Each structure stands twice: as structure tokens, then as C-alpha cells.
Amino acid sequence: DFPPADSMYHNYAEQNAELQKIAADHPSIARLSNIGTSFQGRNLMLLKISDNVASDESEPEVLFTCQQHAREHLTPEMCLRIANRYTDGYGSDTAITNMVNSREIWIVTSVNPDGSEYDIATGSYRSWRKNRQGPGTDLNRNFGYNWGCCGGSSGSTGSETYRGPSAFSAPETQRVRDFVNSRVVGGVQQIKSHIDWHTYSELILWPYGYTYNNTAPGLDANQERAFRTLGQQMAGTNNYTPQQSSDLYITDGTINDWLWGVHKIWSYTFEMYPRSGGGGFYPPDEVITRETSRNDAAVALFLSYSDCVPRVIGGTC
Ligand code: 0X9
Ligand code: CA
Ligand code: CA
Ligand code: CA
Ligand code: ZN
């Protein structure tokens, strides 16, 4: 488990208990299921939040994914905070109520439960990043859009950015792919926007990761301007640094590039606290509330534009 000094972090069982409590306490707006299982057979839990939650309504759908990387333990706390806020605040907070009534919010609190449980299994952190399939695959290099194209991942099994033997070789990325593909209804992708939560560096990143070019096939100048403008506006609320993903370093096979390149889902990565120092991947549990609440306004802004991100630059959908 987590070291006693970090006991406020939720391990996998505690995440599930919290999700079950949220669904049980708010049955009309929260429903818990899963998108299938990890390599070791753990359920990848999926919480849906919306009014008339049992119905698939014609409302913009939004996806939040957390903990693709095992050691980034602040990220499931972020997904749990969103889940708690958008259920507990329903009926009392006007902005929250409006979003729950007009969106369908999907939350996957841990894409990599095998890796995260392995990271804490001995009671001292192992700095584990990948999944637990063989030598471990970096899930955020295993998605099938320009997979392995551009030097932004490794073909060496021992590397921290091992891309796997083929695109979607990891059960966990297959589960995300199949869920996202399942949200194409009548030929239209229902999920309009997405945030993938990571740590650390305090950044807001947008596609593409595989090229330094601001625009590329499937990403034109207006789309880049919409990504950048909303990214900058969100950064104005949390003091993160907004930039194109490749301004950090080249990555290929990421979830963002696949969601945008294949599905045209407005997909961001948030790299949470710390900017540097601050415990790196292992900030003390005393910062959880401060550093997750820091993103409340960005999440609210993101949800408010999720019906039509180009609206942020005066565009239409
Ligand atoms: O390298 C990564 O996967 C992410 N950084 S981390 O330190 N959390 O590992 C950044 C991914 C950003 N890439 C794209 N959005 N394309
Ligand atoms: Ca502590
Ligand atoms: Ca609804
Ligand atoms: Ca729907
Ligand atoms: Zn990460």
C-alpha cells in the first residue's frame, strides 16, 4: 500500500470504494461500470455523470482519463475530485448543475491499475511507469495513430517509453480504444473533448505530439488556434504553462494524437503539480486538495466549451 505518511492517496481498492459510494449516493446522476479489464484482470472502472444517467441522451460527451502512468498518483485524485464535485454539487451549484444537465461526463480513474498497485506493493515507491504486461509497455506510446513513427517512443523492451510490439498491444489501450469507438453512434463520435491527466510539470498540452509542426494532416490552422486559445484560457485559471505537446518533447502513439487524429476529439494533456522539485511524482498527500482544487476552474471552462470547442475562437460546429 501507500506509505503511512501518504495514506490519503487512494489505492485501487479505495478508488473503487469511493466510486461505488458516489454512484450509490447519487443514483439518478451517477452510474458505475467498467470498460473491461487490465492485463492482470482488474476492472478499468468507468463512471458516467449526467441527468437521466441511465439514458444515452443527445448531449455532448466528455471524457477524463487518469493514471495511464502508474506512479502519477495525484491523477486518480483529480478524477475522483471531478466525480465528487459534479455529483455533490448537483442541485446547489448552478454551474455544476448546468453541466451535469447538458453533458454526459465519462471518468476513467485509472487506466493502469496493475502498474499503480505494483508501484506501491512493497510500501515504498518503485517509480514504475508502464503497465505490467511482460517488460511493461508505456500505454501513452501504444495508441494507433502514427504509432512509433517519429522517434517519440522506444522499441527497446527495457525503455521507460517502450511502445509495445504493435499498436494497441496492451489490453488497457485496447479497452480505451474500444470504449471510444463504441461512442460512435449513427456515424457520429459522441465524445467531443477529453483531458488525459498526468504529472508532473504544470503544463497544458495539445496535439500533435509526433511532429514539431503546429499544423499537420488533420490539424489545420483554425483547429490549432482553437486548441491553443482554450489551452491558454484554461492555463489562465491554474497558472500552468500552455503549449503544443511536442514543445515538451516528441511523443508518438499517445492517446491525444489518436483521439484527435482518428476521432477529432479535442484532446488535452494536463501535467499536474509540481512544476519541478516538490516531490516529483510523489508529492506528499498534504497537497492533494490544494493541487486538485487548483484545476476546478479549468475543468469548468473545459466542460463549458465541450459542446463546441471552436466557439472559443468564434467558430461554429
Ligand atoms: O511523456 C508522456 O507521456 C507525458 N509526460 S509524462 O511525464 N507524464 O510521462 C506527456 C505526453 C504528452 N504528449 C502528447 N500529448 N502527445
Ligand atoms: Ca502526509
Ligand atoms: Ca443526460
Ligand atoms: Ca449520448
Ligand atoms: Zn504521465
Side-chain angles (χ1 to χ4, degrees), residues 8-10 74 77 284-293:
M8 298 277 282
Y9 283 98
H10 291 74
L74 202 52
E77 304 303 325
D285 63 1
E286 285 77 8
V287 311
I288 292 173
T289 302
R290 187 189 72 205
E291 293 301 331
T292 55
S293 65

Side-chain angles (χ1 to χ4, degrees), residues 48-50 55-64 102-106 179-180 182-185 188-194 265 302-303 306-307:
K48 180 186 175 187
I49 301 173
S50 187
S55 310
D56 180 9
E57 298 191 290
S58 179
E59 297 166 338
E61 299 184 18
V62 180
L63 176 64
F64 297 103
S102 63
R103 308 283 185 259
E104 292 181 312
I105 302 169
W106 301 104
F179 170 67
V180 171
S182 80
R183 299 314 305 147
V184 177
V185 178
V188 179
Q189 175 56 253
Q190 301 298 299
I191 301 173
K192 302 305 177 190
S193 60
H194 164 255
I265 294 169
F302 173 76
L303 282 169
S306 59
D307 62 308

Side-chain angles (χ1 to χ4, degrees), residues 69 72 129 198-199 271:
H69 291 143
E72 299 173 10
R129 169 181 170 94
H198 288 256
T199 67
E271 297 274 2

Side-chain angles (χ1 to χ4, degrees), residues 67-72 75 129 138 140-141 196-200 249 269-271 281:
Q67 201 169 45
Q68 281 208 75
H69 291 143
R71 63 191 168 198
E72 299 173 10
T75 67
R129 169 181 170 94
D138 183 347
N140 206 28
R141 300 295 184 277
D196 192 36
W197 297 91
H198 288 256
T199 67
Y200 60 96
Y249 44 73
T269 285
F270 276 48
E271 297 274 2
F281 292 112

